[in-house]
Amino acid sequence: MQAIFSIFQLPILVLNVFGFIGSAVWLLILGEWRLVLVGLLMSVTAPFLLGLASLPTVLLGGPGIFFAKRGITIGVYFFSFLASIYIAALISAWCGTVAFYFLKETAKPAFWPLLIWSYGVATSPWTYMAQQDGSLASMLAAFFAQAAFIVMMIGLAFGADLTSATQIFAAVMVLEVLFHMRLVADVQREGLY
């Protein structure tokens, strides 16, 4: 797991620090001010809307905690798996939708700034929510959202179409589910529930 974090640490840092502002300026220079405004609006409102969309994970977590307190491991794993699948699907749907919105009819000069801009718009709400929540599961989900988007960006850079790139994104999010389940197993084994 440490190797995955190491591979993506520098690209995520560069994209998070310079990408959002740099791509916005680049798009403004190209005259794409409407897309910059839409992206800013989406980035500001998305944490609230995605937070509401994430509420079913709280409902799934309740039975998981119930089973944990009674020592019923299979119940903990089952409801943790459902919650993890739901969040991975929500992240994939959000990030795929953002990518499709910004990149569906991109003119060649605007492709790269829109690709970088879509990364910022798609992943910033998850990063913000993870920072507010502070839980390891939220941080893991935000990290994998960023890493999956970078892998999707690489696929698009090498000629993948948007549908294939979104499928690549979802495949990376399957890894997030596996790592989340590993985290649940570690917590369960240490008796922290």
Side-chain angles (χ1 to χ4, degrees), residues 68 71 73 76-77 136 181-193:
T73 306
V76 174
Y77 289 139
L136 190 54
M181 293 310 296
R182 169 77 188 264
L183 176 66
V184 169
D186 290 346
V187 168
Q188 186 72 13
R189 186 174 31 259
E190 293 174 15
L192 297 176
Y193 270 123

Side-chain angles (χ1 to χ4, degrees), residues 19-180:
F20 203 62
I21 294 170
S23 62
V25 171
W26 193 352
L27 287 168
L28 290 172
I29 290 170
L30 293 173
E32 299 287 353
W33 58 270
R34 185 185 65 77
L35 292 175
V36 172
L37 290 176
V38 168
L40 288 173
L41 181 64
M42 289 170 74
S43 294
V44 169
T45 58
F48 173 73
L49 298 174
L50 293 171
L52 289 175
S54 299
L55 284 177
T57 59
V58 174
L59 298 174
L60 292 169
I65 293 171
F66 171 82
F67 286 121
K69 289 182 180 179
R70 281 151 186 77
I72 305 171
T73 306
I74 191 73
V76 174
Y77 289 139
F78 177 73
F79 285 101
S80 295
F81 180 71
L82 291 178
S84 186
I85 289 284
Y86 179 81
I87 284 295
L90 184 61
I91 290 171
S92 297
W94 168 254
C95 292
T97 300
V98 169
F100 267 94
Y101 178 79
F102 286 109
L103 299 172
K104 66 180 178 233
E105 295 175 18
T106 305
K108 199 150 189 121
F111 174 77
W112 289 106
L114 279 173
L115 184 61
I116 298 167
W117 181 247
S118 64
Y119 166 87
V121 172
T123 62
S124 63
W126 298 107
T127 304
Y128 172 78
M129 290 188 302
Q131 290 171 345
Q132 297 302 309
D133 183 28
S135 75
L136 190 54
S138 295
M139 289 181 205
L140 187 69
F143 169 79
F144 270 95
Q146 294 169 336
F149 212 98
I150 290 170
V151 172
M152 184 172 76
M153 290 170 77
I154 292 168
L156 288 167
F158 283 102
D161 62 20
L162 274 172
T163 303
S164 298
T166 305
Q167 291 169 347
I168 292 167
F169 184 99
V172 174
M173 290 308 294
V174 169
L175 290 175
E176 187 275 334
V177 172
L178 297 175
F179 277 101
H180 181 253

